[in-house]
Coordinates of all heavy atoms in Angstrom, one line a residue:
M4 N -116.7 151.2 21.3 CA -116.2 149.8 21.3 C -114.8 149.8 21.3 O -114.2 150.6 20.5 CB -116.9 149.2 20.0 CG -116.5 147.8 19.9 SD -117.7 147.0 18.9 CE -116.7 146.7 17.4
T5 N -114.1 149.0 22.1 CA -112.7 148.9 22.1 C -112.2 147.7 21.5 O -112.9 146.6 21.5 CB -112.2 149.0 23.6 OG1 -112.7 147.8 24.3 CG2 -112.6 150.2 24.3
T6 N -111.1 147.8 20.9 CA -110.5 146.6 20.2 C -109.2 146.2 21.0 O -108.6 147.1 21.6 CB -110.2 147.0 18.7 OG1 -109.3 148.1 18.7 CG2 -111.3 147.2 17.9
P7 N -109.0 144.9 21.1 CA -107.9 144.4 21.8 C -106.6 144.9 21.2 O -106.5 144.9 19.9 CB -108.0 142.9 21.9 CG -109.1 142.5 20.9 CD -109.8 143.8 20.6
T8 N -105.6 145.4 21.9 CA -104.4 145.7 21.3 C -103.5 144.5 21.1 O -103.8 143.4 21.6 CB -103.6 146.6 22.4 OG1 -103.4 145.8 23.5 CG2 -104.4 147.9 22.6
S9 N -102.4 144.6 20.3 CA -101.6 143.5 20.0 C -101.0 142.9 21.2 O -100.7 141.7 21.4 CB -100.6 143.9 19.0 OG -99.7 144.8 19.4
S10 N -100.7 143.7 22.3 CA -100.0 143.3 23.5 C -101.0 142.3 24.3 O -100.6 141.4 24.9 CB -99.6 144.4 24.3 OG -100.6 145.1 24.8
T11 N -102.4 142.7 24.2 CA -103.3 141.8 24.9 C -103.5 140.5 24.3 O -103.4 139.5 24.9 CB -104.7 142.6 24.9 OG1 -104.6 143.8 25.4 CG2 -105.7 141.8 25.7
K12 N -103.4 140.4 22.9 CA -103.5 139.2 22.2 C -102.3 138.3 22.5 O -102.5 137.1 22.8 CB -103.6 139.4 20.7 CG -104.8 140.0 20.2 CD -104.8 140.2 18.7 CE -106.1 140.7 18.1 NZ -106.0 140.9 16.7
S13 N -101.1 138.9 22.6 CA -100.0 138.1 22.8 C -100.0 137.5 24.2 O -99.5 136.4 24.5 CB -98.6 138.8 22.5 OG -98.4 139.8 23.5
T14 N -100.5 138.3 25.2 CA -100.6 137.8 26.6 C -101.5 136.6 26.7 O -101.3 135.7 27.3 CB -101.0 138.9 27.5 OG1 -100.1 140.0 27.4 CG2 -101.0 138.5 28.9
D15 N -102.8 136.8 26.0 CA -103.7 135.8 26.0 C -103.1 134.5 25.4 O -103.4 133.4 25.9 CB -105.0 136.2 25.3 CG -105.8 137.2 25.9 OD1 -105.6 137.4 27.2 OD2 -106.6 137.9 25.3
T16 N -102.4 134.6 24.4 CA -101.8 133.4 23.7 C -100.8 132.8 24.7 O -100.7 131.5 24.8 CB -101.1 133.8 22.4 OG1 -102.1 134.5 21.6 CG2 -100.5 132.6 21.8
K17 N -100.0 133.6 25.3 CA -98.9 133.0 26.3 C -99.5 132.3 27.4 O -99.2 131.2 27.7 CB -98.1 134.1 26.8 CG -97.1 134.7 25.7 CD -96.2 135.8 26.4 CE -95.4 136.5 25.4 NZ -94.7 137.6 25.9
V18 N -100.7 132.9 27.9 CA -101.4 132.1 29.0 C -102.0 130.8 28.6 O -101.8 129.7 29.2 CB -102.4 133.1 29.7 CG1 -103.3 132.3 30.6 CG2 -101.8 134.3 30.3
A19 N -102.6 130.9 27.4 CA -103.3 129.6 26.9 C -102.2 128.7 26.6 O -102.4 127.4 26.9 CB -104.1 130.0 25.6
N20 N -101.1 129.0 26.0 CA -100.0 128.1 25.7 C -99.4 127.6 27.0 O -99.0 126.4 27.0 CB -98.9 128.7 24.8 CG -99.5 128.9 23.4 OD1 -100.4 128.3 22.9 ND2 -98.8 129.8 22.7
G21 N -99.4 128.5 28.0 CA -98.7 128.0 29.3 C -99.5 126.9 29.9 O -99.0 125.9 30.4
N22 N -100.8 127.0 29.9 CA -101.7 126.0 30.4 C -101.6 124.7 29.6 O -101.6 123.6 30.3 CB -103.2 126.5 30.5 CG -103.3 127.6 31.5 OD1 -102.5 127.7 32.5 ND2 -104.4 128.4 31.3
S23 N -101.6 124.8 28.4 CA -101.5 123.7 27.6 C -100.1 123.0 27.6 O -100.1 121.7 27.6 CB -101.9 124.0 26.1 OG -100.8 124.7 25.5
S24 N -99.1 123.7 27.8 CA -97.9 123.1 27.9 C -97.7 122.3 29.3 O -97.0 121.3 29.3 CB -96.7 124.1 27.8 OG -96.7 124.9 28.8
R25 N -98.4 122.8 30.3 CA -98.3 122.1 31.6 C -99.0 120.8 31.4 O -98.6 119.8 32.0 CB -99.0 123.0 32.7 CG -98.1 124.1 33.2 CD -98.9 124.8 34.4 NE -98.2 126.2 34.4 CZ -98.9 127.3 34.7 NH1 -100.1 127.2 34.8 NH2 -98.1 128.3 34.7
A26 N -100.1 120.8 30.8 CA -100.8 119.5 30.6 C -100.0 118.6 29.7 O -99.9 117.3 29.9 CB -102.2 119.8 29.9
T27 N -99.3 119.1 28.7 CA -98.5 118.3 27.8 C -97.3 117.8 28.6 O -96.9 116.6 28.4 CB -98.0 119.2 26.7 OG1 -99.1 119.7 26.0 CG2 -97.2 118.3 25.7
D28 N -96.7 118.6 29.6 CA -95.5 118.1 30.3 C -96.0 116.9 31.2 O -95.3 116.0 31.4 CB -95.0 119.2 31.1 CG -94.3 120.3 30.3 OD1 -93.9 120.0 29.2 OD2 -94.1 121.4 30.9
A29 N -97.2 117.0 31.8 CA -97.7 115.9 32.6 C -97.9 114.6 31.8 O -97.5 113.6 32.3 CB -99.0 116.3 33.3
G30 N -98.3 114.8 30.5 CA -98.5 113.6 29.6 C -97.1 113.1 29.3 O -96.9 111.9 29.2
K31 N -96.2 114.0 29.1 CA -94.8 113.5 28.8 C -94.3 112.8 29.9 O -93.5 111.8 29.7 CB -93.8 114.7 28.4 CG -94.2 115.4 27.2 CD -93.2 116.5 26.8 CE -93.5 117.2 25.6 NZ -92.6 118.3 25.4
G32 N -94.5 113.1 31.2 CA -93.9 112.3 32.3 C -94.5 110.9 32.4 O -93.8 110.0 32.6
K33 N -95.8 110.8 32.1 CA -96.3 109.4 32.1 C -95.8 108.6 30.9 O -95.5 107.5 31.1 CB -97.8 109.5 31.9 CG -98.5 110.0 33.1 CD -100.0 110.1 33.0 CE -100.7 110.7 34.2 NZ -102.2 110.8 34.0
D34 N -95.7 109.2 29.7 CA -95.1 108.6 28.6 C -93.6 108.2 28.9 O -93.1 107.0 28.5 CB -95.1 109.4 27.3 CG -96.6 109.5 26.9 OD1 -97.5 108.8 27.2 OD2 -96.8 110.5 25.9
Q35 N -92.9 109.1 29.5 CA -91.5 108.7 29.7 C -91.3 107.7 30.7 O -90.5 106.8 30.6 CB -90.8 110.1 30.3 CG -89.3 109.9 30.4 CD -88.6 111.2 30.9 OE1 -89.4 112.1 31.4 NE2 -87.4 111.2 30.7
N36 N -92.2 107.6 31.7 CA -92.2 106.5 32.7 C -92.5 105.2 32.1 O -91.9 104.2 32.4 CB -93.2 106.7 33.8 CG -92.6 107.8 34.7 OD1 -91.5 108.2 34.8 ND2 -93.6 108.5 35.5
A37 N -93.4 105.2 31.1 CA -93.8 104.0 30.4 C -92.6 103.5 29.5 O -92.3 102.4 29.5 CB -95.0 104.2 29.4
F38 N -92.0 104.4 28.8 CA -90.8 104.1 28.1 C -89.6 103.4 28.9 O -88.9 102.5 28.6 CB -90.3 105.2 27.2 CG -91.2 105.6 26.1 CD1 -91.6 106.8 25.9 CD2 -91.2 104.6 25.0 CE1 -92.4 107.1 24.8 CE2 -92.1 104.8 23.9 CZ -92.7 106.1 23.8
V39 N -89.4 104.1 30.1 CA -88.4 103.7 31.0 C -88.7 102.3 31.4 O -87.8 101.3 31.4 CB -88.2 104.7 32.2 CG1 -87.3 104.1 33.2 CG2 -87.6 106.0 31.6
S40 N -89.9 102.0 31.7 CA -90.5 100.7 32.2 C -90.2 99.7 31.2 O -89.7 98.6 31.5 CB -91.9 100.8 32.7 OG -92.3 99.5 33.0
I41 N -90.6 100.0 29.9 CA -90.4 99.0 28.8 C -88.9 98.8 28.6 O -88.5 97.7 28.4 CB -91.1 99.6 27.5 CG1 -92.6 99.6 27.8 CG2 -90.7 98.8 26.3 CD1 -93.4 100.3 26.7
G42 N -88.1 99.8 28.7 CA -86.7 99.7 28.4 C -86.1 98.8 29.5 O -85.2 98.0 29.1
L43 N -86.5 99.0 30.7 CA -85.9 98.0 31.8 C -86.2 96.7 31.6 O -85.5 95.7 31.8 CB -86.4 98.6 33.2 CG -85.8 99.9 33.7 CD1 -86.4 100.4 35.0 CD2 -84.3 99.9 33.8
K44 N -87.5 96.4 31.1 CA -87.9 95.1 30.8 C -87.1 94.4 29.8 O -86.7 93.3 29.7 CB -89.4 94.9 30.6 CG -90.3 95.2 31.7 CD -91.8 95.2 31.3 CE -92.7 95.5 32.6 NZ -94.1 95.6 32.1
V45 N -86.8 95.3 28.7 CA -86.1 94.7 27.6 C -84.7 94.5 28.0 O -84.1 93.4 27.6 CB -86.1 95.8 26.5 CG1 -85.1 95.5 25.3 CG2 -87.4 95.9 25.8
V46 N -84.1 95.3 28.8 CA -82.8 95.1 29.3 C -82.7 93.9 30.1 O -81.8 92.9 30.0 CB -82.2 96.3 30.1 CG1 -81.0 96.0 30.9 CG2 -82.0 97.5 29.2
G47 N -83.7 93.6 31.0 CA -83.7 92.4 31.9 C -83.8 91.2 31.1 O -83.2 90.1 31.3
T48 N -84.8 91.2 30.1 CA -84.9 90.1 29.2 C -83.7 89.8 28.4 O -83.2 88.6 28.2 CB -86.1 90.3 28.3 OG1 -87.3 90.5 29.1 CG2 -86.4 89.1 27.4
T49 N -83.0 90.7 28.0 CA -81.8 90.5 27.2 C -80.7 89.9 28.1 O -79.9 89.1 27.6 CB -81.4 91.9 26.6 OG1 -82.3 92.4 25.8 CG2 -80.1 91.7 25.7
K50 N -80.6 90.4 29.2 CA -79.5 89.9 30.2 C -79.9 88.4 30.4 O -78.9 87.6 30.5 CB -79.6 90.6 31.6 CG -79.0 92.0 31.4 CD -79.0 92.7 32.8 CE -78.3 94.1 32.7 NZ -78.3 94.7 34.0
K51 N -81.1 88.0 30.6 CA -81.5 86.6 30.8 C -81.1 85.8 29.6 O -80.5 84.7 29.7 CB -83.0 86.5 31.2 CG -83.4 86.9 32.5 CD -84.8 86.7 32.7 CE -85.3 87.4 34.1 NZ -86.7 87.3 34.2
A52 N -81.5 86.4 28.4 CA -81.1 85.6 27.2 C -79.6 85.5 27.0 O -79.1 84.4 26.5 CB -81.7 86.3 26.1
G53 N -78.9 86.5 27.4 CA -77.4 86.5 27.2 C -76.9 85.4 28.2 O -75.9 84.6 27.7
N54 N -77.3 85.3 29.3 CA -76.8 84.3 30.3 C -77.2 82.9 29.9 O -76.4 81.9 30.0 CB -77.4 84.5 31.7 CG -76.6 85.6 32.4 OD1 -75.4 85.5 32.6 ND2 -77.3 86.5 33.0
R55 N -78.4 82.7 29.3 CA -78.8 81.4 28.7 C -77.8 81.0 27.5 O -77.4 79.9 27.4 CB -80.2 81.4 28.4 CG -81.1 81.4 29.5 CD -82.6 81.3 29.0 NE -83.5 81.5 30.2 CZ -84.6 82.0 30.2 NH1 -85.0 82.5 29.2 NH2 -85.3 82.1 31.4
S56 N -77.4 82.0 26.8 CA -76.6 81.7 25.6 C -75.2 81.3 26.1 O -74.6 80.5 25.6 CB -76.5 83.0 24.7 OG -77.6 83.3 24.1
L57 N -74.7 82.0 27.2 CA -73.5 81.6 27.7 C -73.6 80.1 28.3 O -72.5 79.4 28.2 CB -73.0 82.6 28.9 CG -72.6 83.9 28.3 CD1 -72.4 84.9 29.4 CD2 -71.3 83.8 27.4
D58 N -74.7 79.9 29.0 CA -74.8 78.5 29.5 C -74.7 77.5 28.3 O -74.1 76.4 28.5 CB -76.1 78.3 30.2 CG -76.2 79.1 31.5 OD1 -75.2 79.5 32.1 OD2 -77.3 79.4 32.0
A59 N -75.4 77.8 27.3 CA -75.4 76.8 26.1 C -74.0 76.7 25.5 O -73.6 75.6 25.1 CB -76.5 77.2 25.1
Y60 N -73.3 77.9 25.4 CA -71.9 77.8 24.9 C -71.0 76.9 25.8 O -70.3 76.1 25.3 CB -71.4 79.3 24.8 CG -70.0 79.4 24.6 CD1 -69.4 79.1 23.3 CD2 -69.1 79.7 25.6 CE1 -68.1 79.2 23.0 CE2 -67.7 79.9 25.4 CZ -67.2 79.6 24.1 OH -65.9 79.6 23.9
E61 N -71.1 77.1 27.1 CA -70.3 76.4 28.0 C -70.6 75.0 27.8 O -69.6 74.2 27.8 CB -70.5 76.9 29.4 CG -69.8 78.1 29.7 CD -70.1 78.6 31.1 OE1 -71.2 78.4 31.7 OE2 -69.2 79.1 31.8
K62 N -71.9 74.5 27.8 CA -72.2 73.1 27.6 C -71.7 72.5 26.4 O -71.1 71.4 26.3 CB -73.7 73.0 27.7 CG -74.3 73.0 29.1 CD -75.7 72.8 29.1 CE -76.3 72.8 30.5 NZ -77.7 72.6 30.5
A63 N -71.8 73.2 25.2 CA -71.4 72.8 23.9 C -69.9 72.7 23.9 O -69.3 71.7 23.4 CB -71.9 73.7 22.8
L64 N -69.2 73.7 24.4 CA -67.7 73.6 24.4 C -67.2 72.5 25.2 O -66.3 71.7 24.9 CB -67.1 74.9 24.9 CG -65.6 75.0 24.9 CD1 -65.1 74.9 23.4 CD2 -65.1 76.2 25.5
D65 N -67.8 72.4 26.4 CA -67.4 71.2 27.4 C -67.6 69.9 26.7 O -66.8 69.0 26.8 CB -68.1 71.3 28.7 CG -67.6 70.3 29.8 OD1 -66.3 70.4 29.9 OD2 -68.4 69.6 30.3
S66 N -68.7 69.7 26.0 CA -69.1 68.4 25.3 C -68.0 68.2 24.3 O -67.5 67.0 24.1 CB -70.4 68.4 24.7 OG -70.7 67.3 24.0
S67 N -67.7 69.2 23.5 CA -66.8 69.1 22.4 C -65.3 68.7 22.9 O -64.7 67.8 22.4 CB -66.6 70.4 21.6 OG -65.7 70.4 20.6
L68 N -64.9 69.4 24.0 CA -63.6 69.2 24.6 C -63.5 67.7 25.3 O -62.5 67.1 25.1 CB -63.2 70.3 25.6 CG -63.0 71.6 25.0 CD1 -62.8 72.6 26.1 CD2 -61.9 71.6 24.0
E69 N -64.7 67.3 25.8 CA -64.6 65.9 26.3 C -64.5 64.9 25.2 O -63.7 63.9 25.4 CB -66.0 65.6 27.1 CG -66.1 66.3 28.5 CD -65.0 65.9 29.4 OE1 -64.6 64.7 29.4 OE2 -64.5 66.8 30.2
Y70 N -65.1 65.1 24.1 CA -65.0 64.2 23.0 C -63.5 64.4 22.4 O -63.0 63.3 22.1 CB -66.0 64.7 21.9 CG -65.9 63.8 20.6 CD1 -66.4 62.6 20.6 CD2 -65.5 64.4 19.4 CE1 -66.4 61.7 19.5 CE2 -65.4 63.6 18.3 CZ -65.9 62.3 18.3 OH -65.8 61.5 17.2
H71 N -63.0 65.5 22.3 CA -61.6 65.8 21.9 C -60.7 64.9 22.8 O -59.7 64.2 22.3 CB -61.3 67.2 21.9 CG -60.1 67.6 21.3 ND1 -59.9 67.8 19.9 CD2 -58.9 68.0 21.9 CE1 -58.6 68.1 19.8 NE2 -58.0 68.2 20.9
S72 N -60.9 65.0 24.1 CA -60.0 64.3 25.0 C -60.2 62.8 24.9 O -59.1 62.0 25.1 CB -60.2 64.8 26.4 OG -59.9 66.1 26.6
A73 N -61.4 62.3 24.8 CA -61.7 60.9 24.7 C -61.0 60.4 23.4 O -60.5 59.2 23.4 CB -63.2 60.7 24.5
I74 N -61.0 61.1 22.4 CA -60.4 60.6 21.0 C -58.9 60.5 21.3 O -58.2 59.6 20.8 CB -60.7 61.5 19.9 CG1 -62.2 61.4 19.7 CG2 -59.8 61.3 18.7 CD1 -62.7 61.1 18.3
A75 N -58.3 61.5 22.0 CA -56.9 61.5 22.2 C -56.5 60.4 23.1 O -55.5 59.8 22.9 CB -56.5 62.9 22.8
A76 N -57.3 60.1 24.0 CA -57.0 58.9 25.0 C -57.0 57.6 24.2 O -56.2 56.7 24.6 CB -57.9 58.9 26.1
V77 N -57.8 57.5 23.2 CA -57.9 56.2 22.5 C -56.7 56.0 21.6 O -56.3 54.8 21.5 CB -59.2 56.2 21.6 CG1 -59.2 55.0 20.6 CG2 -60.4 56.2 22.5
T78 N -56.1 56.9 21.2 CA -54.8 56.8 20.4 C -53.7 56.3 21.3 O -53.6 56.6 22.4 CB -54.4 58.1 19.8 OG1 -53.9 59.1 20.8 CG2 -55.4 58.8 18.8
N79 N -53.0 55.5 20.7 CA -51.9 54.8 21.5 C -50.6 55.7 21.4 O -49.5 55.2 21.9 CB -51.6 53.4 21.1 CG -52.7 52.6 21.4 OD1 -53.5 52.8 22.4 ND2 -53.0 51.5 20.5
V80 N -50.7 56.9 20.9 CA -49.4 57.7 20.8 C -49.6 58.8 22.0 O -50.4 59.6 22.0 CB -49.4 58.5 19.5 CG1 -48.2 59.2 19.3 CG2 -49.6 57.4 18.3
E81 N -48.5 58.6 22.8 CA -48.6 59.4 24.1 C -48.5 61.0 23.8 O -49.2 61.7 24.5 CB -47.5 59.1 24.9 CG -47.4 59.7 26.3 CD -46.3 59.2 27.2 OE1 -45.7 58.2 27.0 OE2 -45.9 60.1 28.1
W82 N -47.7 61.3 22.9 CA -47.5 62.8 22.7 C -48.7 63.4 22.1 O -49.1 64.5 22.3 CB -46.3 63.1 21.8 CG -46.3 62.6 20.4 CD1 -45.9 61.4 19.9 CD2 -46.8 63.3 19.3 NE1 -46.1 61.2 18.6 CE2 -46.6 62.4 18.1 CE3 -47.3 64.6 19.0 CZ2 -47.0 62.9 16.8 CZ3 -47.7 64.9 17.7 CH2 -47.5 64.0 16.7
V83 N -49.5 62.6 21.3 CA -50.8 63.1 20.7 C -51.7 63.4 21.8 O -52.5 64.3 21.9 CB -51.3 62.1 19.6 CG1 -52.7 62.6 19.2 CG2 -50.4 62.1 18.3
S84 N -51.7 62.4 22.7 CA -52.7 62.5 23.9 C -52.4 63.6 24.7 O -53.2 64.4 25.2 CB -52.7 61.2 24.6 OG -53.5 61.3 25.8
T85 N -51.1 63.8 25.0 CA -50.6 65.0 25.9 C -51.0 66.3 25.2 O -51.5 67.2 25.9 CB -49.1 64.9 26.0 OG1 -48.8 63.6 26.6 CG2 -48.6 66.0 27.0
I86 N -50.7 66.4 23.9 CA -51.0 67.7 23.3 C -52.5 68.0 23.2 O -53.0 69.1 23.5 CB -50.5 67.6 21.8 CG1 -48.9 67.8 21.9 CG2 -51.0 68.9 21.0 CD1 -48.2 67.7 20.5
A87 N -53.3 66.9 23.0 CA -54.8 67.1 22.9 C -55.3 67.5 24.3 O -56.2 68.4 24.4 CB -55.4 65.8 22.4
D88 N -54.8 66.9 25.3 CA -55.2 67.2 26.7 C -54.8 68.7 27.0 O -55.7 69.4 27.7 CB -54.7 66.3 27.7 CG -55.4 65.0 27.7 OD1 -56.5 64.8 27.3 OD2 -54.7 64.0 28.2
A89 N -53.6 69.0 26.5 CA -53.2 70.5 26.9 C -54.1 71.4 26.1 O -54.4 72.5 26.7 CB -51.7 70.6 26.4
Q90 N -54.4 71.2 24.8 CA -55.3 72.0 24.1 C -56.6 72.2 24.8 O -57.2 73.3 24.9 CB -55.4 71.5 22.7 CG -54.2 71.8 21.8 CD -54.5 71.3 20.4 OE1 -55.0 70.3 20.2 NE2 -53.8 72.0 19.4
A91 N -57.2 71.0 25.2 CA -58.5 71.0 25.9 C -58.4 71.9 27.2 O -59.3 72.7 27.5 CB -58.9 69.6 26.2
K92 N -57.3 71.8 27.9 CA -57.2 72.4 29.1 C -57.1 74.0 28.9 O -57.8 74.8 29.6 CB -55.9 72.0 30.0 CG -55.8 72.7 31.2 CD -54.5 72.2 32.0 CE -54.2 73.0 33.2 NZ -53.1 72.6 33.9
L93 N -56.3 74.3 27.9 CA -56.2 75.8 27.5 C -57.6 76.3 27.0 O -58.0 77.4 27.5 CB -55.2 75.9 26.4 CG -55.0 77.4 25.8 CD1 -54.4 78.2 27.0 CD2 -54.1 77.3 24.7
A94 N -58.3 75.5 26.2 CA -59.5 76.0 25.8 C -60.5 76.2 26.9 O -61.3 77.1 27.0 CB -60.1 75.1 24.7
R95 N -60.6 75.3 27.9 CA -61.3 75.4 29.1 C -61.0 76.7 29.8 O -61.9 77.4 30.3 CB -61.3 74.2 29.9 CG -62.0 73.0 29.4 CD -62.1 71.9 30.5 NE -62.8 70.8 30.0 CZ -62.3 69.7 29.4 NH1 -61.0 69.7 29.3 NH2 -63.0 68.7 28.9
E96 N -59.7 77.0 30.1 CA -59.3 78.1 30.8 C -59.7 79.5 30.1 O -60.2 80.3 30.8 CB -57.9 78.0 31.1 CG -57.4 77.0 32.0 CD -55.9 76.9 32.2 OE1 -55.1 77.6 31.5 OE2 -55.5 75.9 33.0
I97 N -59.5 79.5 28.8 CA -59.9 80.6 28.1 C -61.3 80.9 28.2 O -61.9 81.9 28.4 CB -59.3 80.6 26.6 CG1 -57.8 80.7 26.7 CG2 -59.9 81.7 25.8 CD1 -57.2 80.4 25.3
S98 N -62.1 79.8 27.9 CA -63.6 79.9 28.0 C -64.0 80.3 29.3 O -64.9 81.1 29.4 CB -64.1 78.5 27.6 OG -65.5 78.5 27.8
A99 N -63.4 79.8 30.3 CA -63.9 80.1 31.7 C -63.6 81.7 31.9 O -64.6 82.4 32.5 CB -63.1 79.3 32.8
A100 N -62.6 82.1 31.5 CA -62.3 83.6 31.7 C -63.2 84.5 30.8 O -63.7 85.5 31.4 CB -60.8 83.9 31.3
T101 N -63.4 84.1 29.7 CA -64.3 84.9 28.8 C -65.7 84.9 29.2 O -66.5 85.8 29.1 CB -64.2 84.6 27.2 OG1 -64.5 83.1 27.1 CG2 -62.7 84.8 26.8
T102 N -66.2 83.7 29.6 CA -67.6 83.6 30.0 C -67.8 84.4 31.4 O -68.8 85.0 31.6 CB -68.1 82.2 30.1 OG1 -67.3 81.4 30.9 CG2 -68.2 81.6 28.7
A103 N -66.9 84.3 32.3 CA -66.9 85.0 33.5 C -67.0 86.5 33.3 O -67.8 87.3 33.9 CB -65.7 84.7 34.4
A104 N -66.1 86.9 32.4 CA -66.1 88.4 32.0 C -67.5 88.8 31.4 O -68.1 89.9 31.7 CB -65.0 88.7 31.1
S105 N -67.9 87.9 30.5 CA -69.3 88.2 29.9 C -70.4 88.2 30.9 O -71.3 89.1 30.8 CB -69.5 87.2 28.8 OG -68.6 87.2 27.8
R106 N -70.3 87.3 31.8 CA -71.4 87.3 32.8 C -71.4 88.5 33.7 O -72.3 89.0 34.1 CB -71.3 86.0 33.7 CG -71.8 84.9 32.9 CD -71.8 83.6 33.9 NE -71.9 82.4 33.2 CZ -72.9 82.0 32.6 NH1 -74.1 82.5 32.6 NH2 -72.9 80.7 31.9
E107 N -70.2 89.0 34.0 CA -70.0 90.3 34.8 C -70.6 91.4 34.0 O -71.2 92.3 34.6 CB -68.6 90.5 35.1 CG -68.2 91.6 36.0 CD -68.7 91.3 37.4 OE1 -68.7 90.1 37.9 OE2 -69.1 92.3 38.1
L108 N -70.4 91.5 32.8 CA -71.0 92.6 32.0 C -72.5 92.5 31.9 O -73.2 93.5 31.8 CB -70.4 92.6 30.6 CG -69.0 92.9 30.4 CD1 -68.5 92.8 29.0 CD2 -68.8 94.4 30.9
L109 N -73.0 91.3 32.0 CA -74.5 91.1 32.0 C -75.2 91.4 33.3 O -76.3 91.4 33.4 CB -74.8 89.7 31.5 CG -74.5 89.3 30.1 CD1 -74.8 88.0 29.7 CD2 -75.4 90.3 29.2
K110 N -74.4 91.6 34.3 CA -75.1 92.0 35.6 C -75.8 93.3 35.6 O -75.6 94.1 35.0 CB -74.0 91.9 36.8 CG -73.6 90.5 37.1 CD -72.7 90.6 38.3 CE -72.2 89.1 38.6 NZ -71.3 89.0 39.8

């Protein structure tokens, strides 16, 4: 009766492990594709939410600046009206630049 040598045992283990690692690698590929797919969906949804937030911000700011300008127009002091309109114009320009840059980053 012959007994297996230690070199035979290690070869058998390597072959068995090699076959199981191939099966595991195939499973990892499927899992990785699922994670990538989920990640892409999360990124897409986040971009949409970011754009909606920017839309809401622009509407709120525009409404606030319109109110600001309307109040300034009601005052009978010309320099107050001029300053208020200038501030509103500056705020609109800054807002337009920052939201444009933000939208570019969300593409």
Side-chain angles (χ1 to χ4, degrees):
M4 180 160 110
T5 60
T6 58
T8 62
S9 63
S10 65
T11 306
K12 286 182 183 177
S13 69
T14 305
D15 292 341
T16 305
K17 287 179 185 175
V18 170
N20 287 341
N22 289 337
S23 67
S24 70
R25 286 184 198 135
T27 304
D28 289 344
K31 286 181 183 177
K33 289 180 183 177
D34 290 343
Q35 187 175 18
N36 288 340
F38 284 123
V39 168
S40 176
I41 291 169
L43 291 174
K44 287 179 183 178
V45 168
V46 168
T48 303
T49 304
K50 286 180 179 183
K51 286 179 186 176
N54 278 312
R55 288 183 183 146
S56 295
L57 287 173
D58 291 341
Y60 166 76
E61 284 178 321
K62 283 182 181 180
L64 182 65
D65 190 50
S66 175
S67 173
L68 293 175
E69 287 297 322
Y70 180 71
H71 189 78
S72 294
I74 295 234
V77 171
T78 64
N79 292 329
V80 182
E81 184 180 335
W82 65 270
V83 171
S84 178
T85 303
I86 290 175
D88 286 338
Q90 285 179 326
K92 182 180 176 185
L93 178 64
R95 281 189 181 95
E96 289 174 0
I97 291 172
S98 174
T101 56
T102 55
S105 298
R106 287 186 196 283
E107 187 65 32
L108 290 174
L109 289 172
K110 285 185 180 180

